[in-house]
Amino acid sequence: MRTNLTEKKYDTPTYPQFGHIYPGDYYEELPYDEFIDKNQKLPEGKKIFDIRDFGARPEENLLNTEAFLAAAKACEEAGGGVILVAGGSYCMGTVYIPSHTTLFIAADSEIKASRNADLLIDAHPEGKMEYGTESSEGTFVRVKDASDVTITGGGRINGSGEWYVYEPRELPMREPFPMTKIPRRDQASEINTLPDTIRYYYRQRIRYAEDKYQEGKATLKRPSYMVWIQDSTDIKVENIILYDAMTWTLNADCCDRVTIENVVIDDNRHVANTDGFDITGCTDVTIHHCFVSCADDGICLKNPIYTNRTMKNVKISDCTVLSVMNAFKIGTGTAQDIKDVVVQNCNFCMPDLYPGSVSGISIESCDGSHVKNVRIESIKMENVACPIYILLNMRNESKEHYTDEVGENRYWGGSISDVTIRNVHAEDAELPCIITGFETKKKDGTPVRRAVSDILVENFYMKYHDNEEIIEIPEEI
């Protein structure tokens, strides 16, 4: 029996002047059929909670938040089941998924994020929703303290990303640039505005929510994540399209046993901070056969100070990543340890935007993390500026106090060790490989040298991008 919970409410954009899409924002040749099964059947033996039975309607801009939440509550009270989304596009604010639940979005359907920033907040199963508090994060789909949760169906989660960022200064570039120019280090303060440099080409086309160019613009409200899965276990995200994220697309945060398979991320490649998969402080994670097209890091492993746990056992295989920034990355949030990572049989490329991806493989320890036992093999790259980038430094984002004892104190950075990279074939690169630790000094002038160790790069083929170059290499990196 169908019910109507309230009178109709319609979505009103916080920033109605935005939301434009330009040629090149999305990858037009994305092979959906290779990753998404449009004929997936509903799971058998589980109770179905169709959001239409709780008042949802696929009417343009009609808000269906209450109907979805009512279906989720009924599913939770029944001990689990299937929240079914079928029959069209449903606009809504923040929603949550309880334990023992499958969110099944049918292939003909989507849930679409509201364009009203005040409706995309932190959602708790108890219904407590607060915007702008210190503990809350803007989110569209929320899983918190849950177990046995699946997101699937062949349909789409749509984040309405263009509605939360300013217009770009320049439109997407779809033709190669005639020259590569890297600015001098003494020009770092002007790095975003120096004409004809790689950084300039990239930054001018990205849409930010902040005033990046000191033009007197206010910082826009926008959510932090499109899908946020936190402190949860036994999570599956499979056969689903994640589209047009407003910031990070999917953040698995302090979770155990996460499987991500046959997922397509199709983001606007010029909306800032739209990482693909962010795996934060998790253990036992598998990412298999996914296609990621995004504006920031494609598949990114992080472990900042707040997780208070070691991140381990991450396996990534058979993925294609089109990233404006870094295709696969460890970092930069790296205060807690990361170990036992395998990446195999992946394709990192940027076939239609220039100047291309920044890096293919990026392994960074910036805040004290010990990164070790990383195996990466059988990787193809094309139009990636720096195929291999390994960096140990001492950013100290967690604000550790200075000490003369270098040892294990996070102030002095962590370590990168036992890394093997084999069988990499890269075409149209700019900088083949950067592997570096750092040198600094104590307060008394005593030198401190921290090096990476046990790094093997084997069978690495790289072909340069053939164009004019203006590169000023400093005497000391």
Side-chain angles (χ1 to χ4, degrees), residues 165-220:
V165 286
Y166 286 106
E167 288 288 288
R169 292 163 67 93
E170 295 189 23
L171 297 185
M173 177 54 69
R174 308 181 76 181
E175 299 293 333
F177 291 101
M179 177 180 64
T180 295
K181 181 178 179 181
I182 297 178
R184 301 191 311 271
R185 292 181 65 83
D186 61 6
Q187 297 174 310
S189 62
E190 309 167 68
I191 198 166
N192 290 335
T193 55
L194 286 171
D196 301 323
T197 63
I198 289 180
R199 180 89 167 194
Y200 176 87
Y201 289 147
Y202 162 65
R203 291 283 181 176
Q204 296 292 307
R205 290 163 172 80
I206 296 298
R207 308 189 205 186
Y208 298 98
E210 303 81 25
D211 184 14
K212 287 289 185 179
Y213 298 95
Q214 290 75 53
E215 297 172 324
K217 296 178 178 178
T219 297
L220 303 178

Side-chain angles (χ1 to χ4, degrees), residues 261-285:
E261 188 170 22
N262 296 319
V263 172
V264 167
I265 291 180
D266 186 7
D267 284 341
N268 186 322
R269 294 175 295 173
H270 297 95
V271 173
N273 307 117
T274 51
D275 291 17
F277 299 121
D278 284 286
I279 310 301
T280 307
C282 295
T283 62
D284 299 322
V285 177

Side-chain angles (χ1 to χ4, degrees), residues 137-141 223-228 246-251 253 306:
E137 296 280 356
T139 316
F140 181 29
V141 178
S224 294
Y225 315 113
M226 187 168 81
V227 179
W228 187 15
M246 61 289 281
T247 42
W248 290 9
T249 307
L250 186 153
N251 182 21
D253 185 2
Y306 75 82

Side-chain angles (χ1 to χ4, degrees), residues 3 36 137 144 207 209 248 300 321 341 345 354 390 427 452:
T3 58
I36 300 298
E137 296 280 356
K144 166 73 172 169
R207 308 189 205 186
W248 290 9
C300 188
V321 180
V341 177
N345 302 317
Y354 298 90
I390 300 176
E427 302 264 357
V452 299

Side-chain angles (χ1 to χ4, degrees), residues 19 36 139 163 174 220-221 256 258 282 290 313 341 402 457:
I36 300 298
T139 316
W163 294 90
R174 308 181 76 181
L220 303 178
K221 286 182 180 180
D256 298 313
V258 177
C282 295
C290 295
N313 298 336
V341 177
Y402 173 85
V457 178

Side-chain angles (χ1 to χ4, degrees), residues 457-472:
V457 178
E458 184 177 73
N459 193 20
F460 172 40
Y461 172 87
M462 195 283 299
K463 181 178 180 180
Y464 277 105
H465 177 62
D466 186 15
N467 67 344
E468 182 183 353
E469 294 179 335
I470 300 177
I471 300 175
E472 301 187 41

